[in-house]
Amino acid sequence: EPEVTQTPSHQVTQMGQEVILRCVPISNHLYFYWYRQILGQKVEFLVSFYNNEISEKSEIFDDQFSVERPDGSNFTLKIRSTKLEDSAMYFCASSWTSWGAGGANVLTFGAGSRLTVL
Amino acid sequence: GQQLNQSPQSMFIQEGEDVSMNCTSSSIFNTWLWYKQDPGEGPVLLIALYKAGELTSNGRLTAQFGITRKDSFLNISASIPSDVGIYFCAGQSGNTPLVFGKGTRLSVIA
């Protein structure tokens, strides 16, 4: 079964440092997403990406965040200067269709990257 | 933004019992999804619902898309220890992002 893979599984960083989280979406998917989950809380939308540009972002996704698809397989989330409150599990997801396409739009999630900011 | 109210927050049940959890929203959704999250893993899709009134089963799991399109429930019959985890409802409408509920943490006592 195709899967979304994420690296690293866990990263510990000092406040103020830059972090890059990597994802390899399912190969024939066209839409890519980042969600985050603060410990014990719900999964929250950060950003969606299609055709090499951001299609939607939440208020959480401020100027400290950026996403990139540097090649044909990777999808990265960069946090420029980490803050304590950025500590969370970050999930990458991909889908074949967009939000509004109905039926076939099912997001497949990776196992997540746990970010701990000290 | 859109909010989903998921209940109960947590449940402790005996193995073999049936489980029911639900989600409500003040907004109408076109799609309801139910995911399960095991510790240290990402959410895994259990059931997808695309039509008001739709009742869909996946093994011992049954989920329904409410007629008003503002609610959905998930039932698990004859629970087993591997049902332990966090169950999330998620809703989506139009071109807005998939929104998740806060989850129901299920514990099964053997």
Side-chain angles (χ1 to χ4, degrees), chain A residues 17-21 34-38 44-49 54 56-68 76-91 115 117:
Chain A
Q17 294 294 304
E18 176 182 283
V19 161
I20 296 176
L21 305 178
W34 284 100
Y35 279 76
R36 79 168 186 193
Q37 184 182 33
I38 294 171
E44 300 175 292
F45 171 74
L46 292 178
V47 66
S48 59
F49 190 88
I54 290 173
E56 188 147 10
K57 60 183 180 179
S58 72
E59 61 270 16
I60 302 170
F61 194 88
D62 61 23
D63 292 344
Q64 292 299 311
F65 291 89
S66 62
V67 289
E68 193 179 30
T76 62
L77 174 70
K78 183 193 290 186
I79 308 174
R80 209 178 328 276
S81 176
T82 50
K83 304 187 284 283
L84 295 177
E85 54 265 36
D86 293 328
S87 295
M89 183 76 97
Y90 288 81
F91 292 107
L115 176 65
V117 182

Side-chain angles (χ1 to χ4, degrees), chain A residues 35 37 40-45 48 56 89 91 98-112 114, chain B residues 2-4 31 33 35 37 40-43 45 48 50 86 88 92 94-103 105:
Chain A
Y35 279 76
Q37 184 182 33
Q41 299 189 24
K42 67 178 179 180
V43 179
E44 300 175 292
F45 171 74
S48 59
E56 188 147 10
M89 183 76 97
F91 292 107
S98 65
W99 303 116
N105 178 37
V106 171
L107 272 63
T108 301
F109 286 85
R114 180 172 296 284
Chain B
Q2 295 170 315
Q3 298 283 337
L4 291 182
T31 302
L33 305 174
Y35 285 86
Q37 184 180 28
E41 299 290 327
L45 182 71
Y50 301 108
I86 303 176
F88 289 98
Q92 193 272 322
N95 290 314
T96 59
L98 190 65
V99 175
F100 282 79
K102 291 188 176 182
R105 183 179 296 274

